[in-house]
Amino acid sequence: CDIASGTSTDVNSNGIPDDCEPDIRVIPVVTLIDPYGTTEARNAQPSTLTEVVQGSAYYLEIWATDFGAVNTGLTGVYVDVNFCSATAASELFHGNIFTTFPLGTIQTGKVDEFGGSALPHGGGIEPQWVRVGWIRMTSGVASPSCAITLTPATNGIGAYTRGLINPAFI
């Protein structure tokens, strides 16, 4: 009703008012290819593997986008990365975009405060998706339900001219 009456916008034409949708998206992407030599920005959401071979090494990339109605670009992205105990993190990499104040602490079942800031160089507004960094992982015992979840960390996720984004919009 709000879209039809003009009190809310629907930029992506999906029938959901923009003020009811997330403004920032942050996703985990599992890959077997070493991210070191791959692109840090993409126009489309990167695809992810849904499973890895038991005992193998893989990489967990963290990608983010400021795709909401007010798109000013990301200035910092810090997330807590949670995963099951059947897998382990061994090394953190921060890429070339979010290089100011790079953080991350490897713990059992998680990486705490992973990310960095893009300031003073500006935000990661173009193209649509930017890689925050990646984590070298190793799969352990077989676990058919090992999920990876991301939540905004204490340092949060910031956007240019908008400051820290409310976690409800991430």
Side-chain angles (χ1 to χ4, degrees):
C1 293
D2 288 345
I3 296 168
S5 68
T7 59
S8 292
T9 59
D10 184 18
V11 173
N12 61 1
S13 301
N14 67 352
I16 301 170
D18 294 331
D19 49 349
C20 294
E21 290 188 290
D23 189 41
I24 307 287
R25 288 189 66 199
V26 184
I27 62 168
V29 173
V30 175
T31 182
L32 299 176
I33 300 168
D34 186 347
Y36 182 76
T38 63
T39 182
E40 301 247 325
R42 298 185 182 165
N43 289 320
Q45 179 176 325
S47 60
T48 187
L49 296 174
T50 57
E51 59 186 50
V52 295
V53 175
Q54 181 180 351
S56 68
Y58 63 98
Y59 299 92
L60 175 60
E61 298 178 320
I62 308 302
W63 286 81
T65 183
D66 179 9
F67 78 111
V70 180
N71 185 336
T72 59
L74 299 170
T75 56
V77 177
Y78 293 93
V79 293
D80 292 332
V81 182
N82 298 289
F83 42 86
C84 67
S85 59
T87 190
S90 60
E91 233 177 320
L92 307 177
F93 302 89
H94 289 89
N96 296 318
I97 296 175
F98 296 93
T99 58
T100 305
F101 307 119
L103 294 175
T105 304
I106 297 173
Q107 300 176 4
T108 302
K110 70 179 186 174
V111 174
D112 194 42
E113 292 285 339
F114 181 73
S117 173
L119 291 175
H121 309 292
I125 192 168
E126 294 292 339
Q128 183 181 11
W129 287 91
V130 290
R131 184 171 56 209
V132 177
W134 64 94
I135 305 165
R136 186 185 320 255
M137 307 285 289
T138 305
S139 64
V141 298
S143 177
S145 62
C146 185
I148 299 166
T149 60
L150 305 176
T151 55
T154 304
N155 285 321
I157 297 173
Y160 187 68
T161 72
R162 294 182 287 153
L164 286 178
I165 303 298
N166 182 327
F169 296 107
I170 300 171

